[in-house]
Amino acid sequence: MDRTRRMRLAKDVMDRDWADPELDLDTVAAHAGYSRYHFIRAFREAYGETPGQYLTHRRIERAEDLLRTANLSVTEICHLVGFSSVGTFSARFKAWTGLTPSEYRTKHVGRGAALIPGCYAMLWAGGFRSAPGTGEKRNSGEAG
Amino acid sequence: MIKGLAISTVWVLDQDRAKEFYTEKLGLEVRTDMTMGEGGMRWLTVGSPNQPDVELTLMVPGGPAMDPESAEMVRKLVTKGVLGAGVLTTDDIQGDYKKLKDRGVEFLQEPQERPYGTEALFRDDSGNWFSFTQPREGGLDMDQDWSC
C-alpha cells in the first residue's frame, strides 16, 4: 500500500504541476522516492501507462480544454500546457485526439464566444511565462 | 416517500487518522464515535456544523459485509487516488482554499471557474478526492456557451 500511495503522490505532482515545462521524470520520481527506472515500472503497474505517457495525456487533455474555451492561439496554449515545441505538441495532440489543435478547435468551438478570457487562462496555468528562446514577457494581447 | 440523504460512506484506511484529518484540517465536527461491543465495528461519523442532518461515515473496508479480498481491492483503489468521495461546499472558496492549504491539505487543483461555481479539488489523508466548490449564485451560468 505504501508503494501505491507513493505512486499516487507522484501522479498528483503531474496533475498539479503539468503546466511546468521543467517538470520531468526525475522530479516526479523523486516525489515517489524511487529511482527513475524502478519508478517507471511501478507507475505503469499502478496506472496502466508510463508516467511520461500520463503527463503527455494530462497536458493534451488540458490543451483540449483551453482550445475549446480560451481565446488563445495554438502556440500560446502549447506553451501553457508545458510543451516547449509546437511541432511536438501538434504531433502528440493529433496522435491522441486524431485532429490537429486547429482542427480540434474548429470542430469544438461553440458559437464563437470564448468562455474564459485569455488572461485568466494564462494566470491559472502559471502566469505569463517567457516563451522559450525569446526571453521576453508574452501577452495574449487580449483584454481579460 | 424518501425524505433526504442522511449518511454517505467514505472508505478510509485508518479511522484515527481520518478523524484527525476531517476535524482538525477540514473543520468538520464528530457526530458519533463508538465501538459496537468488544473488538466490534467502530462507527465514526462527521458532519458540518452548518448541516446537522447530513453526515459522512468514515468506514474501514472489511467487516462482516466485505470479504478480505474485496477489502484489499477497496483499499487499493482509495490509495491509488481514483475514487471521488463527493462535493463539499463553501461560501468563501478563496479564503477556505488558503486556510486548508495552510493546514497541509493536499490540493490537486486551485479554485477555478466552472459553469456551476468556483471549484478546487483536494484529497483526504487516505487518497479520496473531493470537489470543494462555491456554487454559482443563481445556479448554472447559461449565458455562457459551455458546450464542451
Side-chain angles (χ1 to χ4, degrees), chain B residues 45-127:
Chain B
T45 68
V46 295
S48 163
N50 185 56
Q51 200 177 33
D53 55 347
V54 178
E55 48 193 46
L56 298 173
T57 173
L58 307 176
M59 298 200 56
V60 180
M66 199 186 280
D67 59 275
E69 194 192 351
S70 299
E72 180 63 16
M73 285 166 125
V74 173
R75 277 197 298 273
K76 195 162 178 84
L77 289 172
V78 169
T79 307
K80 266 177 85 169
V82 294
L83 296 184
V87 182
L88 298 169
T89 54
T90 169
D91 57 2
D92 177 18
I93 184 70
Q94 298 296 349
D96 281 345
Y97 165 71
K98 189 174 179 325
K99 193 158 62 183
L100 266 53
K101 204 170 164 40
D102 288 346
R103 290 177 190 161
V105 174
E106 191 187 329
F107 276 87
L108 298 177
Q109 179 194 293
E110 62 206 15
Q112 294 191 352
E113 291 301 321
R114 294 288 181 251
Y116 41 85
T118 310
E119 176 180 57
L121 300 172
F122 69 79
R123 286 198 192 284
D124 74 359
D125 60 299
S126 301

Side-chain angles (χ1 to χ4, degrees), chain A residues 23-105:
Chain A
L23 188 68
D24 61 10
L25 264 190
D26 291 326
T27 313
V28 177
H31 274 272
Y34 272 64
S35 76
R36 186 183 174 128
Y37 172 74
H38 288 296
F39 171 62
I40 293 173
R41 271 188 37 200
F43 189 93
R44 190 169 57 202
E45 270 172 37
Y47 293 106
E49 57 183 349
T50 65
Q53 288 167 327
Y54 183 80
L55 181 57
T56 295
H57 293 158
R58 174 82 176 131
R59 287 170 165 169
I60 297 292
E61 175 257 327
R62 291 292 82 211
E64 288 179 60
D65 193 44
L66 288 170
L67 284 163
R68 285 196 305 261
T69 58
N71 51 352
L72 297 167
S73 73
V74 170
T75 306
E76 284 172 322
I77 289 172
C78 157
H79 296 311
L80 272 179
V81 299
F83 282 92
S84 43
S85 142
V86 178
T88 307
F89 167 63
S90 298
R92 295 264 169 86
F93 190 95
K94 180 155 188 180
W96 183 244
T97 66
L99 300 167
T100 65
S102 309
E103 288 167 345
Y104 182 90
R105 166 170 269 167

